[in-house]
Amino acid sequence: MGTASDFSEQTLDGRQALVFSGDLTLARLGDLPQRLAERAGGDVGVIDVAGVGRMDTVGALILLKIAEDTGAQVTGAEGQTAQVLKQVGDAHQPVKMRPDKVNSFERVLGEIGAATKTAGGTLVGLLGFFGGVCVSFVHTIVHPSRFRLHAVVQRFEVVGVSALAIIGLMSFLIGIVIAQQGSVQLAQFGAQIYTINLIGRLTMRELGVLMTAIMVAGRSGSAFAAQLGTMKLTEEIDAMRTIGVSPTEALVLPRVYAGVLMMPLLGFYASILSILGGGLFCWISLGIPPVTYIQRIREVVPMTDVYIGLIKAPVFGLIIALSGCFQGMQVKGNAEEVGTRTTAAVVQAIFLVIVLDAIFAVFFTQIGWA
């Protein structure tokens, strides 16, 4: 059992002093705070705690508040008392109820700087992650037994087979929309027959692969980030490292293989269905027979457009898989981080796909594949 808290007023070295005794703990304070508040007298120069037995954070906070209000010096603190006073003093910092006002220009400039720093860090991290994937790829080539065929086949099904329905429907409808909007504009010049040119070249060269990449990024890229993020959060990935299994080889490479190998097939599939959708519209609304439509497609769509789509598709698949896996592996802290990283994976993948598509467009034009 401790003793109750108490204090007395004395004069030490010519200065007014508050001398505390007993235990300055919450259970032993009693009416001490009220008596301190009602105390009458001059300024306090010294707070003597040499006679204090035990002290908790509440008692330390009372002493520090008195010292802060009066400018008094705390003396006599030793051992546990000194340690508690130091810890509470370090933690006792003023809290701003409202942040400092910043003018709009500085705030916007700060946000731009923070976004630029984040983007740069993400780019560097993504390049480093790509390097790690390349190293793991070489390891699986050198040691074929480390290649996980079952995991790759399962990813093929998730990324490719399961996506056929939604990608096919989307592409079919896009073909109809392109044909409808193109025919309306070309009708002003009596050139509705060129709607076939528009459908064929636009779908095979650009929209077929691009829209497929966007759909795969939203569907599979987000799934990659969420799956790996959840595994990171539940420490499954750390457990894999502990037992000597490389997470990159076991989790990332199968998803990268699926993205790279399935995207050309999905892109070509989407382009064909877009052409079928446009052909259906031309047959019903423009009266162009299917035989004429197919013959015209063969005449106006060069093989270079097919090659362009097939070249861009695996690159887009690689970017989508890398972005999803990279963001998933960055998850830490709490479940909210999984949602944040999943969103970031989709946005990052779509952004990079569109940027690369623009670069490819300029490149293929320069080499004469216009």
Side-chain angles (χ1 to χ4, degrees):
M1 298 292 291
T3 57
S5 304
D6 199 3
F7 77 95
S8 62
E9 297 188 51
Q10 302 179 15
T11 301
L12 299 176
D13 298 330
R15 293 186 294 175
Q16 182 74 11
L18 292 180
V19 180
F20 287 86
S21 60
D23 293 337
L24 285 179
T25 60
L26 181 61
R28 295 295 174 183
L29 283 178
D31 62 348
L32 180 68
Q34 290 81 3
R35 290 192 289 124
L36 284 171
E38 296 169 357
R39 182 187 66 85
D43 293 336
V44 178
V46 177
I47 298 174
D48 187 1
V49 296
V52 173
R54 295 177 62 252
M55 180 187 297
D56 62 9
T57 56
V58 176
L61 192 59
I62 291 174
L63 295 181
L64 292 174
K65 184 67 169 60
I66 297 172
E68 181 181 347
D69 293 340
T70 63
Q73 178 184 1
V74 180
T75 62
E78 295 180 357
Q80 183 259 355
T81 302
Q83 184 178 3
V84 172
L85 281 172
K86 181 179 183 305
Q87 291 177 347
V88 174
D90 292 341
H92 183 54
Q93 301 295 334
V95 177
K96 293 183 179 180
M97 298 303 294
R98 295 181 180 178
D100 296 332
K101 289 186 177 180
V102 181
N103 64 60
S104 300
F105 177 75
E106 291 181 357
R107 178 174 56 80
V108 172
L109 196 62
E111 291 178 356
I112 293 174
T116 303
K117 181 179 178 180
T118 302
T122 301
L123 179 60
V124 172
L126 190 60
L127 290 175
F129 185 74
F130 176 63
V133 171
C134 291
V135 171
S136 296
F137 174 74
V138 173
H139 285 172
T140 58
I141 296 297
V142 176
H143 305 284
S145 60
R146 299 170 69 170
F147 179 76
R148 289 171 167 78
L149 179 61
H150 294 293
V152 175
V153 172
Q154 198 270 341
R155 289 298 108 194
F156 281 171
E157 181 179 357
V158 172
V159 175
V161 178
S162 300
L164 289 176
I166 184 62
I167 290 177
L169 177 61
M170 177 203 68
S171 302
F172 187 81
L173 295 177
I174 286 178
I176 293 176
V177 171
I178 293 173
Q180 192 273 332
Q181 293 295 319
S183 64
V184 169
Q185 300 301 318
L186 292 172
Q188 303 177 51
F189 310 100
Q192 288 177 300
I193 189 64
Y194 290 105
T195 303
I196 302 175
N197 300 49
L198 180 66
I199 297 169
R201 301 214 62 184
L202 193 59
T203 55
M204 292 301 300
R205 188 184 181 95
E206 290 291 340
L207 280 186
V209 176
L210 183 61
M211 294 305 297
T212 301
I214 293 174
M215 286 293 295
V216 171
R219 186 181 178 278
S220 300
S222 60
F224 293 168
Q227 290 163 0
L228 297 187
T230 303
M231 294 181 70
K232 186 76 180 295
L233 205 60
T234 56
E235 299 183 355
E236 292 178 61
I237 292 178
D238 294 334
M240 293 176 66
R241 291 194 178 100
T242 302
I243 63 176
V245 177
S246 169
T248 304
E249 293 180 8
L251 301 175
V252 177
L253 276 182
R255 289 166 169 80
V256 171
Y257 287 142
V260 172
L261 297 178
M262 294 307 297
M263 269 299 297
L265 302 177
L266 290 174
F268 186 77
Y269 165 76
S271 299
I272 295 299
L273 284 184
S274 292
I275 291 175
L276 291 178
L280 180 63
F281 179 86
C282 292
W283 185 20
I284 295 174
S285 297
L286 304 182
I288 300 176
V291 175
T292 304
Y293 179 81
I294 294 173
Q295 182 63 34
R296 182 71 176 173
I297 286 287
R298 293 178 59 187
E299 293 174 357
V300 301
V301 178
M303 281 302 297
T304 53
D305 285 359
V306 180
Y307 298 152
I308 288 172
L310 295 178
I311 290 172
K312 291 193 295 186
V315 179
F316 291 168
L318 176 65
I319 289 297
I320 292 167
L322 284 178
S323 297
C325 294
F326 171 71
Q327 293 294 342
M329 298 291 277
Q330 301 303 306
V331 170
K332 55 185 176 181
N334 50 50
E336 184 180 359
E337 186 78 3
V338 176
T340 302
R341 291 293 180 176
T342 300
T343 303
V346 176
V347 174
Q348 184 182 77
I350 293 175
F351 173 77
L352 292 176
V353 161
I354 293 175
V355 170
L356 285 174
D357 187 63
I359 294 173
F360 275 127
V362 175
F363 172 75
F364 288 128
T365 300
Q366 291 296 320
I367 65 174
W369 287 9

